[in-house]
Amino acid sequence: MKTLTLLRHAKSGDDGLIARDFDRRLNAKGRRAAHAIGAWMRGEGLGFDAVLASPAARVQETLEEVGEGLGAPLSPRFDKRLYLATADDLMDVLQAAPASADRLLLAGHNPGLERLVLRLVPDGGGPRDAVEEKYPTASVAEIALDVDGWASVADGIGRLRRFVRPRDLDPTLGPDAA
């Protein structure tokens, strides 16, 4: 049995002031949301044997804040293939994940993360419907995979244990009023 946790980077807010998308940083709300997600992870007893992440600045900062909330720094392995990765790219990285890791955290971007969840988890309502509706920034999806090795991961074999958005933890971390 393997457990895959997918973390979308928290909210960035450079609004075009940064020349490269890759260098965008978190805004204050994003930092608070990532910290809250880390504290929630700590409360749930979540831990990871390996962390794979996009090297984008906003993902690095998200992981730093999550680690603060978790009470333990995460030690990600940054992989350029995860920057703005498609679901196909994410599946390739996932299938090559360290065999020794039973609990893997994959941190990156949308729409790839959302599409990966929808690929791995068969239709059936519940939290999957919430993912299909929207996978907001700093949200976490935890998927149970009934496989012995990551190379065996395939479409439709996952069970979505939970999907948590920052606004589920603190309503002030939800969408801004229009």
PDB file of all heavy atoms in Angstrom, residues 2 7 25 39 47 60 62 72 74 89-91 93-94 100-101 106 120 122-123 126 130 136 141 164 169-170 172 175:
ATOM      1  N   LYS A   2       0.596   2.167  -0.896  1.00  0.00           N
ATOM      2  CA  LYS A   2       1.310   3.437  -0.980  1.00  0.00           C
ATOM      3  C   LYS A   2       0.312   4.566  -0.732  1.00  0.00           C
ATOM      4  O   LYS A   2      -0.867   4.448  -1.058  1.00  0.00           O
ATOM      5  CB  LYS A   2       1.948   3.626  -2.363  1.00  0.00           C
ATOM      6  CG  LYS A   2       2.971   2.565  -2.746  1.00  0.00           C
ATOM      7  CD  LYS A   2       4.253   2.713  -1.977  1.00  0.00           C
ATOM      8  CE  LYS A   2       5.305   1.729  -2.486  1.00  0.00           C
ATOM      9  NZ  LYS A   2       6.547   1.811  -1.723  1.00  0.00           N
ATOM     10  N   LEU A   7       0.131  18.323  -3.010  1.00  0.00           N
ATOM     11  CA  LEU A   7       0.027  19.669  -2.458  1.00  0.00           C
ATOM     12  C   LEU A   7       0.209  20.680  -3.572  1.00  0.00           C
ATOM     13  O   LEU A   7       1.256  20.705  -4.226  1.00  0.00           O
ATOM     14  CB  LEU A   7       1.105  19.875  -1.386  1.00  0.00           C
ATOM     15  CG  LEU A   7       1.292  21.299  -0.848  1.00  0.00           C
ATOM     16  CD1 LEU A   7       0.056  21.776  -0.088  1.00  0.00           C
ATOM     17  CD2 LEU A   7       2.529  21.356   0.043  1.00  0.00           C
ATOM     18  N   ARG A  25       6.575  34.672  -6.056  1.00  0.00           N
ATOM     19  CA  ARG A  25       6.656  34.351  -4.637  1.00  0.00           C
ATOM     20  C   ARG A  25       5.260  34.351  -4.019  1.00  0.00           C
ATOM     21  O   ARG A  25       4.314  34.881  -4.598  1.00  0.00           O
ATOM     22  CB  ARG A  25       7.553  35.361  -3.933  1.00  0.00           C
ATOM     23  CG  ARG A  25       8.970  35.369  -4.545  1.00  0.00           C
ATOM     24  CD  ARG A  25       9.842  36.374  -3.850  1.00  0.00           C
ATOM     25  NE  ARG A  25       9.966  36.040  -2.448  1.00  0.00           N
ATOM     26  CZ  ARG A  25      11.031  35.478  -1.893  1.00  0.00           C
ATOM     27  NH1 ARG A  25      12.075  35.201  -2.624  1.00  0.00           N
ATOM     28  NH2 ARG A  25      11.069  35.216  -0.607  1.00  0.00           N
ATOM     29  N   ALA A  39       0.098  22.933   9.865  1.00  0.00           N
ATOM     30  CA  ALA A  39      -0.414  22.680  11.223  1.00  0.00           C
ATOM     31  C   ALA A  39      -1.491  21.595  11.184  1.00  0.00           C
ATOM     32  O   ALA A  39      -1.545  20.731  12.077  1.00  0.00           O
ATOM     33  CB  ALA A  39      -0.956  23.978  11.819  1.00  0.00           C
ATOM     34  N   GLY A  47       2.970  12.260   7.829  1.00  0.00           N
ATOM     35  CA  GLY A  47       4.410  12.296   7.642  1.00  0.00           C
ATOM     36  C   GLY A  47       4.731  11.738   6.267  1.00  0.00           C
ATOM     37  O   GLY A  47       3.885  11.083   5.656  1.00  0.00           O
ATOM     38  N   GLN A  60       8.724  26.250  -3.422  1.00  0.00           N
ATOM     39  CA  GLN A  60       9.738  26.204  -2.358  1.00  0.00           C
ATOM     40  C   GLN A  60       9.253  26.930  -1.112  1.00  0.00           C
ATOM     41  O   GLN A  60       9.373  26.410   0.007  1.00  0.00           O
ATOM     42  CB  GLN A  60      11.049  26.816  -2.853  1.00  0.00           C
ATOM     43  CG  GLN A  60      11.730  25.975  -3.915  1.00  0.00           C
ATOM     44  CD  GLN A  60      13.095  26.525  -4.302  1.00  0.00           C
ATOM     45  OE1 GLN A  60      13.859  26.956  -3.447  1.00  0.00           O
ATOM     46  NE2 GLN A  60      13.394  26.501  -5.589  1.00  0.00           N
ATOM     47  N   THR A  62       6.127  27.550  -0.299  1.00  0.00           N
ATOM     48  CA  THR A  62       5.005  26.788   0.257  1.00  0.00           C
ATOM     49  C   THR A  62       5.524  25.690   1.170  1.00  0.00           C
ATOM     50  O   THR A  62       5.039  25.510   2.295  1.00  0.00           O
ATOM     51  CB  THR A  62       4.132  26.196  -0.868  1.00  0.00           C
ATOM     52  OG1 THR A  62       3.565  27.265  -1.630  1.00  0.00           O
ATOM     53  CG2 THR A  62       3.034  25.305  -0.323  1.00  0.00           C
ATOM     54  N   ALA A  72       8.326  20.508  11.576  1.00  0.00           N
ATOM     55  CA  ALA A  72       9.514  19.793  11.116  1.00  0.00           C
ATOM     56  C   ALA A  72       9.767  20.192   9.668  1.00  0.00           C
ATOM     57  O   ALA A  72       8.848  20.160   8.856  1.00  0.00           O
ATOM     58  CB  ALA A  72       9.311  18.286  11.214  1.00  0.00           C
ATOM     59  N   LEU A  74      10.564  20.052   5.857  1.00  0.00           N
ATOM     60  CA  LEU A  74      10.478  19.036   4.809  1.00  0.00           C
ATOM     61  C   LEU A  74      11.794  19.084   4.037  1.00  0.00           C
ATOM     62  O   LEU A  74      12.407  20.144   3.937  1.00  0.00           O
ATOM     63  CB  LEU A  74       9.296  19.332   3.890  1.00  0.00           C
ATOM     64  CG  LEU A  74       7.929  19.300   4.579  1.00  0.00           C
ATOM     65  CD1 LEU A  74       6.860  19.885   3.681  1.00  0.00           C
ATOM     66  CD2 LEU A  74       7.575  17.874   4.974  1.00  0.00           C
ATOM     67  N   ASP A  89       3.087  13.992 -17.198  1.00  0.00           N
ATOM     68  CA  ASP A  89       4.416  14.228 -16.615  1.00  0.00           C
ATOM     69  C   ASP A  89       4.446  13.785 -15.155  1.00  0.00           C
ATOM     70  O   ASP A  89       5.409  13.146 -14.702  1.00  0.00           O
ATOM     71  CB  ASP A  89       4.786  15.713 -16.677  1.00  0.00           C
ATOM     72  CG  ASP A  89       4.897  16.265 -18.078  1.00  0.00           C
ATOM     73  OD1 ASP A  89       5.210  15.494 -19.017  1.00  0.00           O
ATOM     74  OD2 ASP A  89       4.662  17.487 -18.239  1.00  0.00           O
ATOM     75  N   LEU A  90       3.399  14.138 -14.412  1.00  0.00           N
ATOM     76  CA  LEU A  90       3.331  13.773 -12.999  1.00  0.00           C
ATOM     77  C   LEU A  90       3.290  12.261 -12.826  1.00  0.00           C
ATOM     78  O   LEU A  90       3.926  11.714 -11.917  1.00  0.00           O
ATOM     79  CB  LEU A  90       2.112  14.419 -12.341  1.00  0.00           C
ATOM     80  CG  LEU A  90       2.161  15.942 -12.224  1.00  0.00           C
ATOM     81  CD1 LEU A  90       0.803  16.489 -11.805  1.00  0.00           C
ATOM     82  CD2 LEU A  90       3.252  16.383 -11.266  1.00  0.00           C
ATOM     83  N   MET A  91       2.560  11.583 -13.702  1.00  0.00           N
ATOM     84  CA  MET A  91       2.484  10.117 -13.629  1.00  0.00           C
ATOM     85  C   MET A  91       3.866   9.515 -13.871  1.00  0.00           C
ATOM     86  O   MET A  91       4.266   8.578 -13.170  1.00  0.00           O
ATOM     87  CB  MET A  91       1.479   9.590 -14.646  1.00  0.00           C
ATOM     88  CG  MET A  91       1.237   8.103 -14.539  1.00  0.00           C
ATOM     89  SD  MET A  91       0.351   7.595 -13.058  1.00  0.00           S
ATOM     90  CE  MET A  91      -1.302   7.549 -13.690  1.00  0.00           C
ATOM     91  N   VAL A  93       6.808  10.876 -13.218  1.00  0.00           N
ATOM     92  CA  VAL A  93       7.615  11.117 -12.020  1.00  0.00           C
ATOM     93  C   VAL A  93       7.163  10.185 -10.894  1.00  0.00           C
ATOM     94  O   VAL A  93       7.988   9.592 -10.189  1.00  0.00           O
ATOM     95  CB  VAL A  93       7.520  12.598 -11.592  1.00  0.00           C
ATOM     96  CG1 VAL A  93       8.150  12.815 -10.217  1.00  0.00           C
ATOM     97  CG2 VAL A  93       8.184  13.493 -12.631  1.00  0.00           C
ATOM     98  N   LEU A  94       5.867  10.051 -10.725  1.00  0.00           N
ATOM     99  CA  LEU A  94       5.308   9.190  -9.687  1.00  0.00           C
ATOM    100  C   LEU A  94       5.747   7.736  -9.862  1.00  0.00           C
ATOM    101  O   LEU A  94       6.166   7.089  -8.900  1.00  0.00           O
ATOM    102  CB  LEU A  94       3.780   9.296  -9.723  1.00  0.00           C
ATOM    103  CG  LEU A  94       2.988   8.499  -8.712  1.00  0.00           C
ATOM    104  CD1 LEU A  94       3.380   8.887  -7.295  1.00  0.00           C
ATOM    105  CD2 LEU A  94       1.495   8.723  -8.937  1.00  0.00           C
ATOM    106  N   SER A 100      11.537   2.877  -1.734  1.00  0.00           N
ATOM    107  CA  SER A 100      11.531   2.809  -0.275  1.00  0.00           C
ATOM    108  C   SER A 100      10.477   3.719   0.362  1.00  0.00           C
ATOM    109  O   SER A 100      10.174   3.584   1.545  1.00  0.00           O
ATOM    110  CB  SER A 100      12.912   3.182   0.264  1.00  0.00           C
ATOM    111  OG  SER A 100      13.241   4.499  -0.133  1.00  0.00           O
ATOM    112  N   ALA A 101       9.932   4.642  -0.410  1.00  0.00           N
ATOM    113  CA  ALA A 101       8.945   5.589   0.126  1.00  0.00           C
ATOM    114  C   ALA A 101       7.542   5.003   0.047  1.00  0.00           C
ATOM    115  O   ALA A 101       7.050   4.715  -1.039  1.00  0.00           O
ATOM    116  CB  ALA A 101       9.010   6.897  -0.653  1.00  0.00           C
ATOM    117  N   LEU A 106       3.967  15.027  -3.131  1.00  0.00           N
ATOM    118  CA  LEU A 106       4.297  15.620  -4.423  1.00  0.00           C
ATOM    119  C   LEU A 106       3.749  17.034  -4.413  1.00  0.00           C
ATOM    120  O   LEU A 106       2.534  17.224  -4.241  1.00  0.00           O
ATOM    121  CB  LEU A 106       3.664  14.791  -5.534  1.00  0.00           C
ATOM    122  CG  LEU A 106       4.114  15.047  -6.953  1.00  0.00           C
ATOM    123  CD1 LEU A 106       5.491  14.461  -7.193  1.00  0.00           C
ATOM    124  CD2 LEU A 106       3.127  14.420  -7.921  1.00  0.00           C
ATOM    125  N   LEU A 120      -6.364   9.201 -11.277  1.00  0.00           N
ATOM    126  CA  LEU A 120      -6.081   8.106 -10.352  1.00  0.00           C
ATOM    127  C   LEU A 120      -7.324   7.600  -9.626  1.00  0.00           C
ATOM    128  O   LEU A 120      -7.403   6.426  -9.284  1.00  0.00           O
ATOM    129  CB  LEU A 120      -5.041   8.538  -9.314  1.00  0.00           C
ATOM    130  CG  LEU A 120      -3.630   8.782  -9.823  1.00  0.00           C
ATOM    131  CD1 LEU A 120      -2.761   9.355  -8.708  1.00  0.00           C
ATOM    132  CD2 LEU A 120      -3.028   7.517 -10.397  1.00  0.00           C
ATOM    133  N   PRO A 122     -11.302   6.864  -9.440  1.00  0.00           N
ATOM    134  CA  PRO A 122     -12.487   6.690 -10.286  1.00  0.00           C
ATOM    135  C   PRO A 122     -13.642   7.568  -9.814  1.00  0.00           C
ATOM    136  O   PRO A 122     -13.696   7.973  -8.651  1.00  0.00           O
ATOM    137  CB  PRO A 122     -12.836   5.209 -10.144  1.00  0.00           C
ATOM    138  CG  PRO A 122     -12.053   4.691  -8.997  1.00  0.00           C
ATOM    139  CD  PRO A 122     -10.965   5.668  -8.694  1.00  0.00           C
ATOM    140  N   ASP A 123     -14.562   7.864 -10.750  1.00  0.00           N
ATOM    141  CA  ASP A 123     -15.770   8.613 -10.395  1.00  0.00           C
ATOM    142  C   ASP A 123     -16.469   7.922  -9.259  1.00  0.00           C
ATOM    143  O   ASP A 123     -16.470   6.701  -9.158  1.00  0.00           O
ATOM    144  CB  ASP A 123     -16.729   8.687 -11.595  1.00  0.00           C
ATOM    145  CG  ASP A 123     -16.254   9.659 -12.657  1.00  0.00           C
ATOM    146  OD1 ASP A 123     -15.576  10.634 -12.296  1.00  0.00           O
ATOM    147  OD2 ASP A 123     -16.568   9.434 -13.839  1.00  0.00           O
ATOM    148  N   GLY A 126     -18.330  12.249  -3.548  1.00  0.00           N
ATOM    149  CA  GLY A 126     -17.542  12.587  -2.369  1.00  0.00           C
ATOM    150  C   GLY A 126     -16.500  13.651  -2.650  1.00  0.00           C
ATOM    151  O   GLY A 126     -16.736  14.581  -3.426  1.00  0.00           O
ATOM    152  N   ALA A 130     -15.378  17.568  -5.286  1.00  0.00           N
ATOM    153  CA  ALA A 130     -14.814  18.849  -4.880  1.00  0.00           C
ATOM    154  C   ALA A 130     -13.523  19.139  -5.644  1.00  0.00           C
ATOM    155  O   ALA A 130     -13.280  20.274  -6.057  1.00  0.00           O
ATOM    156  CB  ALA A 130     -14.560  18.875  -3.373  1.00  0.00           C
ATOM    157  N   PRO A 136      -8.049  24.465  -5.251  1.00  0.00           N
ATOM    158  CA  PRO A 136      -7.484  25.775  -4.912  1.00  0.00           C
ATOM    159  C   PRO A 136      -6.022  25.706  -4.466  1.00  0.00           C
ATOM    160  O   PRO A 136      -5.514  24.648  -4.106  1.00  0.00           O
ATOM    161  CB  PRO A 136      -8.366  26.243  -3.748  1.00  0.00           C
ATOM    162  CG  PRO A 136      -9.583  25.401  -3.793  1.00  0.00           C
ATOM    163  CD  PRO A 136      -9.154  24.087  -4.389  1.00  0.00           C
ATOM    164  N   ALA A 141      -4.601  16.798  -1.410  1.00  0.00           N
ATOM    165  CA  ALA A 141      -5.365  15.585  -1.706  1.00  0.00           C
ATOM    166  C   ALA A 141      -4.518  14.404  -1.271  1.00  0.00           C
ATOM    167  O   ALA A 141      -3.330  14.332  -1.601  1.00  0.00           O
ATOM    168  CB  ALA A 141      -5.677  15.490  -3.194  1.00  0.00           C
ATOM    169  N   VAL A 164      -8.459  18.576   1.389  1.00  0.00           N
ATOM    170  CA  VAL A 164      -8.554  19.677   2.342  1.00  0.00           C
ATOM    171  C   VAL A 164      -8.055  20.960   1.692  1.00  0.00           C
ATOM    172  O   VAL A 164      -6.952  21.003   1.146  1.00  0.00           O
ATOM    173  CB  VAL A 164      -7.742  19.367   3.625  1.00  0.00           C
ATOM    174  CG1 VAL A 164      -7.779  20.535   4.592  1.00  0.00           C
ATOM    175  CG2 VAL A 164      -8.274  18.104   4.284  1.00  0.00           C
ATOM    176  N   LEU A 169     -10.101  25.019   6.856  1.00  0.00           N
ATOM    177  CA  LEU A 169      -9.438  25.171   8.147  1.00  0.00           C
ATOM    178  C   LEU A 169      -9.684  26.553   8.753  1.00  0.00           C
ATOM    179  O   LEU A 169      -9.722  26.704   9.966  1.00  0.00           O
ATOM    180  CB  LEU A 169      -7.929  24.952   7.994  1.00  0.00           C
ATOM    181  CG  LEU A 169      -7.516  23.657   7.288  1.00  0.00           C
ATOM    182  CD1 LEU A 169      -6.007  23.635   7.064  1.00  0.00           C
ATOM    183  CD2 LEU A 169      -7.977  22.451   8.081  1.00  0.00           C
ATOM    184  N   ASP A 170      -9.825  27.548   7.885  1.00  0.00           N
ATOM    185  CA  ASP A 170     -10.007  28.937   8.301  1.00  0.00           C
ATOM    186  C   ASP A 170     -10.725  29.656   7.173  1.00  0.00           C
ATOM    187  O   ASP A 170     -10.150  29.862   6.104  1.00  0.00           O
ATOM    188  CB  ASP A 170      -8.632  29.567   8.575  1.00  0.00           C
ATOM    189  CG  ASP A 170      -8.690  31.032   8.955  1.00  0.00           C
ATOM    190  OD1 ASP A 170      -9.766  31.667   8.860  1.00  0.00           O
ATOM    191  OD2 ASP A 170      -7.642  31.573   9.346  1.00  0.00           O
ATOM    192  N   THR A 172     -11.202  32.635   6.519  1.00  0.00           N
ATOM    193  CA  THR A 172     -10.530  33.829   5.986  1.00  0.00           C
ATOM    194  C   THR A 172      -9.497  33.468   4.921  1.00  0.00           C
ATOM    195  O   THR A 172      -8.990  34.353   4.234  1.00  0.00           O
ATOM    196  CB  THR A 172      -9.851  34.650   7.101  1.00  0.00           C
ATOM    197  OG1 THR A 172      -8.755  33.909   7.639  1.00  0.00           O
ATOM    198  CG2 THR A 172     -10.834  35.021   8.201  1.00  0.00           C
ATOM    199  N   PRO A 175     -11.695  32.153  -0.867  1.00  0.00           N
ATOM    200  CA  PRO A 175     -11.680  33.157  -1.937  1.00  0.00           C
ATOM    201  C   PRO A 175     -12.055  34.542  -1.399  1.00  0.00           C
ATOM    202  O   PRO A 175     -12.892  34.655  -0.488  1.00  0.00           O
ATOM    203  CB  PRO A 175     -12.733  32.665  -2.922  1.00  0.00           C
ATOM    204  CG  PRO A 175     -12.990  31.244  -2.559  1.00  0.00           C
ATOM    205  CD  PRO A 175     -12.640  31.089  -1.116  1.00  0.00           C
TER     206      PRO A 175
END
